[in-house]
Amino acid sequence: MSKSCDECGMCCKVMAVTALAKPAHKWCRHFRRASGCGIYEDRPSDCRVFSCVWLLADDRLGPEWKPNVAGFILHSEDGASQLIVECDPSNPLAWRKSPYIEGLRKTADAGTEVLVFVGRRGLRLEPFGGETPIRRA
């Protein structure tokens, strides 16, 4: 199954881009709903290095996990030992819906640290249940 960003652009809304002075949770001025990034070939390294887990996951994550469908972006840090869920603030509880919550809990149960953020506020999903409030620095 081949995946592409197409009309998604959730990273263009949710993620901050220092090189463009773009704050998190605001649409990038270069994003076009019909065609995607207007500066894709010349996009800054902040954008080039971002890795959307949905795009990288082959068929392990189906179309329902595409960020603009799910309402959040997944990316990993610390050599994939952390899975970060970056929520669209217009739909901050999307990750709690099925099948997302089950998949995220399964990931936490398997030993990957799962952190869910809406802006600076977040939760760490504890293995085998429970949540711990956290804040981003």
Side-chain angles (χ1 to χ4, degrees), residues 19-81:
L20 297 174
K22 184 214 141 335
H25 308 295
K26 302 286 183 192
W27 281 105
C28 179
R29 68 185 179 274
H30 301 290
F31 179 73
R32 305 292 178 261
R33 290 193 189 267
S35 57
C37 180
I39 60 167
Y40 187 81
E41 293 302 321
D42 297 317
R43 69 195 185 280
S45 63
D46 296 18
C47 299
R48 288 180 188 276
V49 300
F50 178 76
S51 296
C52 172
V53 168
W54 179 78
L55 280 174
L56 299 174
D58 302 322
D59 60 352
R60 290 172 283 166
L61 295 177
E64 70 277 9
W65 287 85
K66 188 171 185 175
N68 65 326
V69 175
F72 54 83
I73 295 172
L74 299 174
H75 63 98
S76 62
E77 293 183 5
D78 289 338
S81 67

Side-chain angles (χ1 to χ4, degrees), residues 74-96:
L74 299 174
H75 63 98
S76 62
E77 293 183 5
D78 289 338
S81 67
Q82 285 184 334
L83 180 66
I84 312 297
V85 182
E86 300 279 357
C87 297
D88 181 347
S90 69
N91 194 3
L93 300 177
W95 68 276
R96 289 199 181 269

Side-chain angles (χ1 to χ4, degrees), residues 2-3 24 73 80 88 91-94 103 120 123 126 128 131:
S2 177
K3 294 181 178 180
I73 295 172
D88 181 347
N91 194 3
L93 300 177
R120 298 181 100 176
L123 294 170
E126 301 298 342
F128 308 104
E131 299 168 355

